[in-house]
Amino acid sequence: MVEERLILLRNKNRKGYDPCTLEDYLGRGGYDALKKAVEKGPRWVINEISKSRLRGRGGAGFHAGFKWESVAMQTNKDKVLIANFDEGEEGTFKDRTIVETDPFMLIEGMTIAAYAMGINKAFIYNRGEYPFLPPVFEKCISQAKEKGLLGRSILDLDFDLDIEVVRGAGAYVCGESSALLQSIEGLPGRARIKTKRTAVSGLFDRPTCVNNVETLANVPYIVMEGGSNYSSIGTRQSTGTRIVSLSGHVKRPGAYEIEMGKCSLKDIIEDLGGGVDGKRISSVLLGGASGSLITGSGLDLNYTMEDAESRDLTLGSGVVVVFNETTCPVDLVHNLLGFFAFESCGKCTPCRTGTHHLVRILENIRTGVSSDAEMERGMEISRVMDGASICGLGKTASTPYQTLVANFKDIVDQHIRGDCPSNVCPMGGENR
Amino acid sequence: MKLKVGIFGLTSCAGDQLTILNCEEELLEIFEALDIKVFSMASSGHDFGMLDIAFVEGAVVTEEDIEVLHNIRKNSRRVVAIGTCAASGGVATGKEIMGAKEAYQTVYGSTMINTTPLNKSYPLDYFIEVDYTIRGCPVRESEVMYYFKKFATMDPQKNEVLPYPIDRGVKDDETELKDQVISYHPEKCISCRRCVNVCSEGLGVDAISMVDRGYDEKVSTPFTKNFAATTCISCGQCIQSCYCGALKEREGNLELFEKAIEEGRRVVALIDPMILASLNENLYTDEPENTHALMRKMIVALKQLGAQKVFNYAAAQHISLFRTVQDSLENPGQRKILSWCPSANFWITKLKKDFVPNLDLGHRPPGIARDLIERRYGPVHIAMITPCTSMKKVSEFDAVISTKEISRLIQKNRINIDLCDIEDVAFDKFVITEPLIDVLADTPAIDGMGDEVANYTMAFKAKQNVFHRFTLPDGAIVRTLDYKDVHFKIATITDLTKADEVLDNINSYDFIEFIPCLAGCLTGGGQYPTLDPRVVAQRKERMEAYNQGSLEWSNRILKARLYKELQGMIPKACEKEEVE
């Protein structure tokens, strides 16, 4: 029986605890980490983060310590820190859970990060679909400012930090860091062609550090416990805990914080989610819309980044969506690709036309008028998209299609022959 | 009554016709609903009479193709280009790179084929007006079927399938043409963003941008307003940068010209010598490099088309120069920003409103030309032949025909300019009958206006050669001229993003000139599109060869003296403002 390991969500469901009150947060040991960080100095903080081997929780899994170091190295004084709170990935709600449980944890994490890298300006890029959270942030920021934990001369030191909340307009591509920067600059949210690294020239050509909310929320804990202690949680390459956004056909969907390497995908679904809601699991979407679609037989996967990589999968932003026998994988992927065709910004041709063509091919498969050759052409298109798109959206948009053809070959073949086993797709039978 | 349809093939692999034949299921229905008069592939008959719709596949690579194409256009109400070759020239364009002769040998070996190949491969809309374009190699069956079905049930409106997204402005025909000089055809656009980059980063104008997302992405103006209501300065650099012909100048000026001739009006033509820069890239002639002969051939061709007189626009430019110089000598330092370029004036009036008082709008060559011609010949219809798209907005001219359009007009009317007799052919005179002043009328100007004004001022005052000729470099350049009591500081800006530095210190300059087009008039919006530096260098050489001798210093002094002597004979132009 697997249980949650609560670090980020330790104040979840705590009675009498108001997340938006600074007194409550201070009463539970809040801002001790900032005081410790200030005592030890910025160099020490970055070293501890590097030692903790904390990896970005947004999906790419970039080492946070390395990113911080490269921003701290920049001599330009106007550096910027951005908390990427644009969790547009389908099935993700971990960042929202963190912010609703403990908004101060994020703000403290950002303050420590800014202190370590010598940054005076920070942004929280709030997802357009979360219009109710900016007021929460405003309330927290004003309280922190009153206590001297934010704003001018934090803790009576020569360290200023201003946090600004920016609201997105609801575009999925704005979760990609360069499109996010465009959006904050007031331009249409389209990915940039990356000739320079964001750490060198990002927002308004300044050195910029873009971190996921979950990554930043881990910072206070690492500073308090020390980097080497943190790295003892989890496995060697996947340290710490991970918040899994479990949804779909399970009995108890929700955000569960687990220690990495301690449980398999099956444990998560069975023990935490209470098992599948229906007869059997037909497919599991791992890592969100741009993640992989796996069959029920792949559930023995140990939930760590290295195990996922060894199977050519990705954990993405920690999404696990379970589908029972009433969902047809072809129909599902058709839906996902439709989403990408809608959300593609249109800047680069592989993504703009590739998503469009994949939707058409899937529409043909779905209605039983496709052929093996057309399916193969779809694979070719997805390889081009992988290699030639300029941002993560185009590079990963074809993953559901590729994994569909790889893992559900028999079901796709059945569709090509004109039969949908789940009786969902509009071909033959009662749905005609 | 059934619609009469023809399906034609020029030089191509016939793959698109094959696609139509392969639509087995629908083929019978189509043949029932439409009256297929010609189908090059399926039948051999070629006697087709008048058609409603002509589908044409293949590129234009031989003289015979041009002939067939003109025949098709003449006999069809609508022309639809099908396939990549018809839309953009196709693979045969490769012979431009490897040389026509070598390409011929590679493909055909020593076999002789009884055709006259052109030195390049052209899309259909290079020679004729194309109503619809279906791209693809081969075209998609469903797309062709869509058009067939559409035509079978009703006659579609132009651009009905993909609606023209930019507001066309006022409805009245002639004002509409003046309102907006650029048109956009989304069915041809490949979203490469070159036009947007030129407009925003190259010029800093930001009149167009990509709108919408994903597959629906297209080029548009802010809130799809018409171009006149945006910051567009009509420079036509977006047309220059467009690879696939999605951005073009508005059609209609040719029709105005033809209509005026049909109605029997007195039509005169004005030629800007700058058209010679790319005319030979457009017009197929035996000796494209002999610019003087080409110019004379153009005069003959225009007279054959129906123009009663043909004038040199450069003469009007020179008279404008003399008057500006006189003004600046009488009231120095009044109007510092001067340029002949209408689009530079739009740039000042639309984007740099603070500097409008400094703008010299007094002696505009278009006004001078119209005034002088009308004084001598009475009311006329003036057709201006120019490499400039912003000229199309100038109200003094009735029809403004670009370099691209004039060659199309000549091809369309089947005038072989190599057969034109150019003996004793010269430009007509504006007003002055004195033989001495002929030198004014035959002088083209390549230099910028600011520079020429300074030169002529020196010629008026100093009467001695003190400086050499000035060539346009990249970006901004500042020159100072000193001779005795005359001191000038002149800035010429060919990169508008560098203009602010000069405008901030406007008081320290005597003359400032702006040139929005990236290589001056050599790459004006009406020239054949290129941004290739090698081609621009060739064009420059060609223009310099044409100008040789006429820009000598002694020539300037002579002209200045002549002008002083004959001052009374040139009437003062009425001052017309051309900028809103």
Side-chain angles (χ1 to χ4, degrees):
Chain A
M1 187 75 186
V2 176
E3 280 187 2
E4 283 191 88
R5 169 84 188 249
L6 293 175
I7 291 175
L8 301 182
L9 303 180
R10 57 182 176 269
N11 293 328
K12 185 167 81 168
N13 302 332
R14 191 178 294 282
K15 272 186 189 147
Y17 182 81
D18 181 5
C20 296
T21 314
L22 185 56
E23 273 70 34
D24 285 14
Y25 183 66
L26 289 172
R28 305 280 322 162
Y31 279 101
D32 289 352
L34 178 64
K35 282 166 195 153
K36 186 177 174 187
V38 165
E39 218 170 85
K40 302 265 188 181
R43 199 59 247 163
W44 179 86
V45 176
I46 293 181
N47 277 343
E48 290 304 304
I49 299 290
S50 297
K51 257 193 250 171
S52 75
R53 293 199 299 280
L54 173 69
R55 288 173 74 172
R57 302 294 201 236
F62 196 74
H63 282 277
F66 185 71
K67 194 186 263 183
W68 286 26
E69 238 167 277
S70 48
V71 174
M73 257 166 28
Q74 303 298 321
T75 46
N76 188 334
K77 285 233 164 78
D78 294 324
K79 297 183 219 175
V80 184
L81 171 73
I82 297 170
N84 185 350
F85 185 33
D86 188 79
E87 47 167 3
E89 194 68 57
E90 267 69 358
T92 323
F93 39 86
K94 62 181 179 66
D95 293 347
R96 176 182 170 178
T97 315
I98 292 171
V99 169
E100 287 183 338
T101 315
D102 244 346
F104 280 110
M105 194 181 284
L106 170 65
I107 291 168
E108 189 188 356
M110 287 175 77
T111 316
I112 295 171
Y115 172 73
M117 290 181 272
I119 291 171
N120 298 325
K121 179 79 192 172
F123 292 91
I124 298 173
Y125 189 83
N126 193 87
R127 185 185 178 196
E129 283 87 344
Y130 294 161
F132 42 89
L133 287 174
V136 172
F137 283 125
E138 301 295 347
K139 196 176 162 192
C140 295
I141 288 169
S142 67
Q143 286 180 61
K145 272 186 180 163
E146 268 171 38
K147 284 267 181 188
L149 297 167
L150 208 58
R152 297 196 71 80
S153 351
I154 295 165
L155 296 175
D156 299 327
L157 289 164
D158 183 20
F159 166 48
D160 308 336
L161 178 67
D162 178 31
I163 297 182
E164 194 178 315
V165 183
V166 182
R167 271 193 62 186
Y172 171 74
V173 74
C174 287
E176 199 272 338
S177 67
S178 66
L180 187 148
L181 301 179
Q182 292 274 99
S183 175
I184 296 181
E185 286 182 15
L187 300 165
R190 292 193 176 111
R192 293 176 181 173
I193 295 169
K194 293 173 193 75
T195 47
K196 282 181 189 166
R197 282 172 52 219
T198 316
V200 179
S201 170
L203 188 72
F204 298 110
D205 290 339
R206 296 164 181 189
T208 306
C209 175
V210 185
N211 274 137
N212 189 265
V213 165
E214 193 184 344
T215 320
L216 287 168
N218 269 308
V219 171
Y221 183 81
I222 295 171
V223 170
M224 276 319 284
E225 303 293 319
S228 32
N229 282 345
Y230 183 87
S231 67
S232 66
I233 310 172
T235 62
R236 174 149 178 83
Q237 285 195 38
S238 318
T239 55
T241 60
R242 195 78 203 249
I243 302 178
V244 179
S245 312
L246 183 62
S247 60
H249 293 133
V250 285
K251 295 215 172 75
R252 289 194 302 273
Y256 297 102
E257 188 172 7
I258 54 149
E259 186 177 342
M260 278 198 272
K262 287 285 184 293
C263 57
S264 69
L265 208 49
K266 193 177 175 65
D267 298 334
I268 294 171
I269 295 168
E270 297 289 330
D271 297 352
L272 299 174
V276 62
D277 186 14
K279 279 185 200 147
R280 61 179 177 86
I281 294 174
S282 84
S283 55
V284 174
L285 188 62
L286 195 61
S290 58
S292 329
L293 193 67
I294 58 173
T295 57
S297 58
L299 295 184
D300 54 332
L301 172 76
N302 199 6
Y303 201 81
T304 63
M305 294 193 191
E306 57 266 32
D307 283 282
E309 272 159 26
S310 70
R311 290 197 195 184
D312 255 351
L313 302 172
T314 167
L315 298 189
S317 47
V319 177
V320 177
V321 189
V322 181
F323 298 100
N324 66 11
E325 75 287 344
T326 59
T327 310
C328 172
V330 176
D331 194 46
L332 169 68
V333 174
H334 175 256
N335 193 342
L336 292 178
L337 259 304
F339 167 77
F340 284 121
F342 178 75
E343 289 290 354
S344 167
C345 77
K347 184 161 183 172
C348 64
T349 311
C351 174
R352 178 179 63 233
T353 53
T355 49
H356 193 80
H357 280 283
L358 285 182
V359 170
R360 278 217 300 242
I361 289 169
L362 280 160
E363 181 66 42
N364 284 351
I365 296 177
R366 206 166 143 257
T367 46
V369 293
S370 186
S371 63
D372 285 343
E374 191 174 20
M375 192 181 74
E376 199 43 53
R377 196 162 64 89
M379 286 305 277
E380 228 167 85
I381 291 171
S382 31
R383 280 193 288 274
V384 173
M385 286 169 68
D386 281 5
S389 298
I390 61 171
C391 87
L393 196 159
K395 281 187 184 21
T396 56
S398 63
T399 320
Y401 181 81
Q402 287 177 0
T403 47
L404 173 79
V405 174
N407 300 339
F408 297 88
K409 189 81 172 62
D410 47 337
I411 296 184
V412 177
D413 282 344
Q414 260 177 305
H415 277 80
I416 290 173
R417 286 198 299 274
D419 174 35
C420 175
S422 324
N423 272 338
V424 176
C425 297
M427 62 165 79
E430 58 203 35
N431 289 307
R432 188 141 205 170
Chain B
M1 203 188 82
K2 283 182 184 177
L3 281 175
K4 295 192 187 83
V5 176
I7 299 163
F8 300 89
L10 301 179
T11 308
S12 70
C13 66
D16 300 316
Q17 295 179 59
L18 198 63
T19 310
I20 297 174
L21 276 182
N22 279 347
C23 304
E24 286 147 4
E25 286 175 21
E26 295 96 341
L27 207 58
L28 283 176
E29 280 176 45
I30 293 166
F31 278 69
E32 235 161 66
L34 303 169
D35 183 7
I36 310 265
K37 283 279 177 191
V38 192
F39 197 156
S40 311
M41 199 173 189
S43 74
S44 54
H46 271 274
D47 179 25
F48 51 88
M50 198 64 195
L51 293 176
D52 288 304
I53 305 131
F55 288 85
V56 187
E57 106 161 284
V60 183
V61 298
T62 62
E63 293 273 0
E64 288 76 15
D65 282 343
I66 301 179
E67 204 169 309
V68 172
L69 192 61
H70 284 145
N71 206 13
I72 293 169
R73 178 73 261 189
K74 208 159 60 189
N75 291 311
S76 341
R77 282 174 50 230
R78 304 261 177 220
V79 173
V80 183
I82 48 173
T84 303
C85 288
S88 59
V91 278
T93 10
K95 75 178 177 180
E96 192 188 345
I97 300 161
M98 64 191 293
K101 225 175 211 173
E102 199 182 322
Y104 185 90
Q105 274 175 1
T106 315
V107 178
Y108 296 108
S110 56
T111 321
M112 287 310 290
I113 291 177
N114 195 17
T115 54
T116 346
L118 303 174
N119 49 2
K120 237 166 137 183
S121 163
Y122 297 95
L124 303 189
D125 58 1
Y126 196 89
F127 297 107
I128 59 163
E129 177 135 357
V130 173
D131 298 288
Y132 302 90
T133 306
I134 311 175
R135 279 175 176 270
C137 184
V139 286
R140 284 225 326 275
E141 285 175 23
S142 54
E143 211 164 333
V144 179
M145 283 310 127
Y146 177 85
Y147 276 87
F148 267 128
K149 281 171 192 162
K150 205 81 197 167
F151 281 123
T153 48
M154 61 177 283
D155 194 16
Q157 300 298 303
K158 183 150 183 157
N159 285 324
E160 184 210 22
V161 186
L162 289 153
Y164 186 78
I166 298 165
D167 180 20
R168 303 194 77 146
V170 286
K171 284 285 173 279
D172 181 275
D173 268 359
E174 292 191 21
T175 351
E176 190 191 344
L177 277 175
K178 292 262 183 256
D179 217 28
Q180 173 164 312
V181 302
I182 297 160
S183 75
Y184 173 61
H185 302 266
E187 77 268 28
K188 284 185 159 192
C189 183
I190 57 168
S191 297
C192 68
R193 287 157 202 271
R194 280 167 63 97
C195 51
V196 175
N197 287 349
V198 164
C199 197
S200 61
E201 281 160 38
L203 297 163
V205 171
D206 277 320
I208 50 172
S209 177
M210 302 306 290
V211 296
D212 266 350
R213 291 195 318 189
Y215 210 65
D216 302 326
E217 198 184 37
K218 53 187 169 281
V219 176
S220 185
T221 52
F223 308 106
T224 67
K225 285 191 284 195
N226 83 62
F227 278 100
T230 67
T231 54
C232 177
I233 59 171
S234 312
C235 62
Q237 288 306 294
C238 47
I239 302 174
Q240 274 288 318
S241 64
C242 188
Y243 267 137
C244 50
L247 284 157
K248 286 203 238 175
E249 55 270 69
R250 276 288 290 286
E251 281 143 5
N253 275 294
L254 285 184
E255 283 71 15
L256 287 179
F257 176 76
E258 286 172 333
K259 206 172 130 197
I261 288 174
E262 253 173 47
E263 286 171 359
R265 290 177 62 187
R266 188 192 288 270
V267 178
V268 301
L270 261 175
I271 301 186
D272 187 340
M274 285 308 276
I275 63 162
L276 287 172
S278 78
L279 191 63
N280 70 329
E281 294 165 25
N282 271 289
L283 205 58
Y284 190 66
T285 72
D286 287 343
E287 15 174 18
E289 290 304 322
N290 189 348
T291 41
H292 281 277
L294 189 57
M295 191 54 139
R296 291 218 282 274
K297 283 175 185 174
M298 285 298 295
I299 296 171
V300 179
L302 280 166
K303 288 199 171 161
Q304 282 185 17
L305 283 171
Q308 296 187 0
K309 300 281 171 193
V310 181
F311 300 104
N312 189 350
Y313 182 63
Q317 286 179 324
H318 276 270
I319 295 169
S320 146
L321 265 177
F322 297 137
R323 290 187 179 153
T324 313
V325 170
Q326 272 191 320
D327 268 14
S328 79
L329 287 172
E330 281 161 23
N331 309 305
Q334 285 292 304
R335 303 271 182 168
K336 290 181 170 175
I337 303 171
L338 32 91
S339 58
W340 285 320
C341 179
S343 113
N345 296 337
F346 292 135
W347 184 68
I348 297 284
T349 44
K350 279 187 171 177
L351 288 149
K352 302 278 168 193
K353 292 200 174 103
D354 296 354
F355 296 97
V356 172
N358 293 317
L359 190 59
D360 186 355
L361 291 169
H363 308 291
R364 314 296 309 154
I368 291 171
R370 171 135 221 142
D371 190 52
L372 292 182
I373 293 169
E374 292 208 330
R375 266 163 203 267
R376 181 158 176 196
Y377 298 100
V380 286
H381 179 98
I382 299 182
M384 172 73 183
I385 293 140
T386 171
C388 184
T389 36
S390 57
M391 229 18 128
K392 290 183 188 249
K393 293 182 80 99
V394 174
S395 57
E396 275 91 349
F397 301 132
D398 299 299
V400 184
I401 297 166
S402 72
T403 319
K404 270 180 285 181
E405 285 171 330
I406 190 68
S407 68
R408 192 187 298 166
L409 188 69
I410 289 172
Q411 313 258 18
K412 190 178 166 192
N413 284 283
R414 312 191 55 71
I415 293 172
N416 187 341
I417 68 163
D418 279 334
L419 297 180
C420 294
D421 182 14
I422 55 169
E423 247 173 67
D424 299 329
V425 171
F427 281 114
D428 292 294
K429 309 285 178 303
F430 268 133
V431 60
I432 305 137
T433 47
E434 300 284 331
L436 266 179
I437 206 78
D438 274 2
V439 69
L440 286 184
D442 255 345
T443 310
I446 192 180
D447 278 7
M449 188 188 183
D451 217 58
E452 284 284 0
V453 165
N455 279 333
Y456 272 108
T457 314
M458 295 298 263
F460 268 83
K461 290 203 85 168
K463 299 174 185 168
Q464 259 189 43
N465 185 2
V466 282
F467 38 72
H468 54 85
R469 220 183 123 213
F470 162 69
T471 45
L472 284 182
D474 295 337
I477 186 153
V478 177
R479 272 204 340 159
T480 54
L481 305 173
D482 302 289
Y483 183 78
K484 288 185 181 169
D485 57 334
V486 185
H487 307 283
F488 278 133
K489 195 174 178 193
I490 306 138
T492 309
I493 291 136
T494 54
D495 182 352
L496 291 187
T497 51
K498 292 177 187 164
D500 281 347
E501 279 172 47
V502 175
L503 282 177
D504 287 348
N505 308 310
I506 188 165
N507 287 332
S508 64
Y509 295 95
D510 292 294
F511 297 115
I512 303 174
E513 186 189 7
F514 296 104
I515 302 169
C517 293
L518 298 179
C521 297
L522 296 172
T523 57
Q527 304 273 33
Y528 187 72
T530 187
L531 290 173
D532 184 347
R534 285 169 305 174
V535 178
V536 172
Q538 278 172 14
R539 289 180 181 183
K540 195 166 178 178
E541 261 174 41
R542 205 174 298 129
M543 284 318 292
E544 278 171 5
Y546 180 74
N547 287 347
Q548 218 167 28
S550 53
L551 281 167
E552 295 294 322
W553 176 249
S554 53
N555 192 324
R556 285 207 184 89
I557 296 194
L558 175 70
K559 275 189 276 175
R561 281 187 195 153
L562 271 173
Y563 183 73
K564 268 190 172 173
E565 280 171 26
L566 300 168
Q567 225 172 9
M569 302 185 68
I570 303 174
K572 280 263 174 201
C574 54
E575 298 195 354
K576 283 182 187 170
E577 297 225 334
E578 62 186 59
V579 179
E580 317 108 318

